[in-house]
Amino acid sequence: MNAFEEIAERLKKHPDLNASIEPFCITVKAQETNGFDVCVFFENGEYTVGFDGWHQCFDESDVESVLNCFAFGLS
């Protein structure tokens, strides 16, 4: 399973989150006015996780790091 599929599956367990799942981008909108969106993009064999003005790139084979980083952004 790739990182997008895994994140989409995990988000199904949290229907209260305002998540947008697109073919190459998943975004979870901030739940509070002082919060921030968390997103993951996939392009050219690389995932980019971003939140609060910060981002980190990961090789497509590093699925576990993508999942951990995305979860950290949500925490």
Side-chain angles (χ1 to χ4, degrees), residues 5 7 11 15 21 29-30 39 41-42 51 65 69-71 73:
E5 293 167 337
I7 290 170
L11 286 172
I21 302 173
K29 295 289 188 183
C39 59
F41 300 92
F42 183 73
F51 51 88
S65 293
C69 188
F70 191 83

Side-chain angles (χ1 to χ4, degrees), residues 6-54:
E6 183 65 33
I7 290 170
E9 280 299 309
R10 291 180 184 191
L11 286 172
K12 286 180 185 177
K13 297 176 186 175
H14 302 279
D16 54 316
L17 294 176
N18 183 6
S20 169
I21 302 173
E22 307 280 329
F24 299 100
C25 178
I26 296 175
T27 303
V28 176
K29 295 289 188 183
Q31 292 196 328
E32 299 176 6
T33 56
N34 63 344
F36 47 84
D37 297 352
V38 178
C39 59
V40 59
F41 300 92
F42 183 73
E43 185 175 50
N44 298 325
E46 183 175 81
Y47 289 101
T48 302
V49 178
F51 51 88
D52 199 25
W54 174 90

